Amino acid sequence: MVRGIRPHVERGRIVALRAVPCRYRPLTISPPLPQIARRIRGERVEAVRRLAKRVVLRLSSGEALVIEPRMTGLLLITDPPDREHLRVEWELRRGRRTGRLWFWDRRGLGTLRLLSPSELHDLEECRLGCDPLGLSAERWEELLSTVRRPVKVALLDQSLIAGIGNLYASEILHAAGIHPAHRTDRLTPPQFIRLQTAAETVLQTAIAYEGSTLSDGTYRNALNQNGGYQNAHRVYDRAGQTCPTCRRGVIRRIVQAQRSTFYCPVCQRPPRPGAAHVGRAGA
DNA sequence: CATATGTCCTGAGAGC
DNA sequence: TGCTCTCAGGACATAT
């Protein structure tokens, strides 16, 4: 999303920001959109970057527009999939060209916020955990071994690791050969190394493919084109199918913390119930 | 305090 | 055919 909009948005000047009339419940926008519009009119977009699952437009004023698309939100620089789910429209000027940026959201769970520098700092440093890209295996271990949770659930906790969604959590654990119910405090150093490698590979590949357009067709890139990573999914939404990696296991679907998890019982052996772990003396 | 569950939203698809 | 019901998963609020 960031790579798609950056060439059209970065170093542009915001001419106008407006809510698109919409029959659905309005998105969470804070402060209210007319106030944001007043405050950012005329500002230059200094940089467009990703912060975990959010898109950050850093403005010349030092403030930041933070867009959180959640599941069905899209940032588009071409015509949207339909008009009725359009929510917000930016008018931008780059040089002498005028362009538009749209926030389209079918389910309306996305958010738009204007943050002060200190609010952005608080989000980055206090509320969000570490980005999984560029994270060492040692840091993975430091972060995850402090909690006692099923590893799949921990991967989704944005205060620990920030940026992994449900689909990618299943794919990463499959690539790492780790069972989704494995408790984080019982993962071994070799497993943390595999987790680090798998996260890097799966996420970078998914980004290169421009994301996953699932059967509901929701996710599209900034040009309203399908992503390609859905064709590379090994376990997500493939329950009952033979695992494409080992060609032996039959992929299973389980529910953890109210979310679907998919895994291969052959590639991802459950942890041995009586597995020895270093405990306190006399325990 | 740490972990677990409930909630919001719309559209697709199942079942009758 | 047209209705009701369930499910999808982001983050956050509330419960245990």
Side-chain angles (χ1 to χ4, degrees), chain A residues 8-282:
Chain A
H8 301 88
V9 174
E10 210 164 71
R11 293 185 299 280
R13 204 169 281 281
I14 296 172
V15 177
L17 170 68
R18 62 183 78 90
V20 177
C22 179
R23 70 185 185 90
Y24 303 102
R25 183 182 159 281
L27 304 184
T28 297
I29 298 177
S30 80
L33 192 129
Q35 201 182 126
I36 296 183
R38 261 201 315 280
R39 275 165 59 181
I40 72 172
R41 186 170 301 127
E43 295 291 334
R44 215 172 89 106
V45 179
E46 299 291 347
V48 180
R49 66 183 178 94
R50 178 182 68 83
L51 175 59
K53 299 177 192 173
R54 296 152 165 93
V55 177
V56 178
L57 309 191
R58 188 168 57 78
L59 306 178
S60 42
S61 64
E63 294 184 308
L65 268 180
V66 179
I67 296 127
E68 200 183 306
R70 302 209 186 170
M71 277 88 58
T72 57
L74 301 177
L75 286 177
L76 296 152
I77 51 102
T78 52
D79 289 341
D82 60 55
R83 298 287 304 180
E84 71 248 37
H85 297 95
L86 265 186
R87 312 289 184 148
V88 178
E89 179 185 62
W90 284 259
E91 197 180 317
L92 298 152
R93 192 181 308 280
R94 295 179 81 246
R96 48 177 71 86
R97 292 217 177 104
T98 297
R100 287 182 205 289
L101 172 70
W102 283 293
F103 189 6
W104 180 95
D105 191 351
R106 200 179 62 191
R107 281 160 70 179
L109 295 178
T111 68
L112 171 64
R113 290 175 210 277
L114 181 63
L115 300 189
S116 68
S118 69
E119 288 170 325
L120 181 63
H121 182 267
D122 177 69
L123 177 65
E124 290 179 279
E125 303 302 321
C126 307
R127 307 186 63 82
L128 292 174
C130 293
D131 196 282
L133 293 179
L135 198 63
S136 70
E138 290 76 18
R139 284 292 286 145
W140 272 96
E141 178 163 4
E142 283 171 20
L143 290 162
L144 292 193
S145 58
T146 60
V147 293
R148 299 155 51 109
R149 313 182 70 181
V151 60
K152 158 62 163 45
V153 177
L155 288 184
L156 296 179
D157 185 336
Q158 303 297 302
S159 67
L160 292 173
I161 306 285
I164 298 174
N166 195 51
L167 181 168
Y168 296 105
S170 284
E171 293 297 327
I172 288 167
L173 288 175
H174 179 260
I178 298 171
H179 192 283
H182 203 115
R183 264 175 51 169
T184 48
D185 58 323
R186 292 180 181 171
L187 289 167
T188 62
Q191 287 178 313
F192 281 112
I193 290 169
R194 297 202 319 260
L195 198 50
Q196 186 270 324
T197 307
E200 204 73 42
T201 306
V202 167
L203 295 174
Q204 291 289 15
T205 308
I207 291 167
Y209 277 87
E210 299 200 74
S212 303
T213 300
L214 303 183
S215 51
D216 66 1
T218 295
Y219 179 73
R220 330 264 302 160
N221 70 12
L223 300 174
N224 191 21
Q225 297 162 330
N226 282 353
Y229 194 68
Q230 66 282 359
N231 303 314
H233 292 171
R234 304 215 155 241
V235 289
Y236 183 79
D237 208 16
R238 299 206 189 283
Q241 300 178 23
T242 303
C243 172
T245 299
C246 68
R247 300 179 188 281
R248 290 195 291 130
V250 177
I251 294 160
R252 292 183 186 165
R253 173 187 180 271
I254 58 173
V255 173
Q256 297 177 288
Q258 277 88 258
R259 270 119 189 90
S260 295
T261 300
F262 298 89
Y263 72 101
C264 167
V266 174
C267 297
Q268 298 163 271
R269 313 291 311 170
R272 278 188 297 128
H277 53 280
V278 183
R280 291 181 314 249

